[in-house]
Amino acid sequence: MLNIIKVILFVIVNIAGFYVTPVIAHVAIKIDMFPQLPVGEHSEYFKLLYFAGGPWVWIASAVISIGYFFTKDELKNWLLLAPMYLTGIYCTLVLIYFNFFYTIH
């Protein structure tokens, strides 16, 4: 029974990690921190890094989170939550980068 709960928790956290990229984009739009990029190369580069790179970071962190089943103590929690916080950190850093270096002033 305990293993079933672990698997269900693992699946729920990975599903939540999948939705981190659009949630951060939505929050950035709401608080007016989404980068206002000129049409062209910079906006395509942003879309590539944010909307194509975010899912790849989620996939990599989901693979890393499999270690949750094989570790103990505090590392277990860090590995379980990796799809959420690693994807969130990546998306936030991409937004910050494009806000500071490519935004139209």
Side-chain angles (χ1 to χ4, degrees):
M1 182 66 171
L2 187 60
N3 288 334
I4 293 172
I5 293 172
K6 285 182 179 181
V7 171
I8 291 172
L9 183 62
F10 175 79
V11 170
I12 289 171
V13 168
N14 277 290
I15 290 170
F18 179 76
Y19 289 106
V20 166
T21 301
V23 166
I24 289 178
H26 183 72
V27 169
I29 290 169
K30 288 289 186 185
I31 63 173
D32 200 31
M33 290 300 293
F34 204 76
Q36 301 295 323
L37 301 170
V39 177
E41 184 178 329
H42 299 304
S43 64
E44 293 299 318
Y45 187 51
F46 171 73
K47 286 188 251 181
L48 177 69
L49 282 179
Y50 190 83
F51 293 109
W56 282 107
V57 171
W58 170 73
I59 290 170
S61 59
V63 171
I64 290 170
S65 72
I66 293 173
Y68 161 72
F69 294 107
F70 306 108
T71 58
K72 294 181 181 181
D73 299 329
E74 186 179 350
L75 179 62
K76 186 175 195 158
N77 297 328
W78 284 104
L79 289 175
L80 175 65
L81 297 174
M84 291 174 56
Y85 70 82
L86 289 178
T87 307
I89 290 170
Y90 173 80
C91 293
T92 304
L93 289 176
V94 169
L95 286 174
I96 290 170
Y97 176 75
F98 278 92
N99 266 326
F100 284 119
F101 293 111
Y102 291 105
T103 301
I104 299 173
H105 297 284

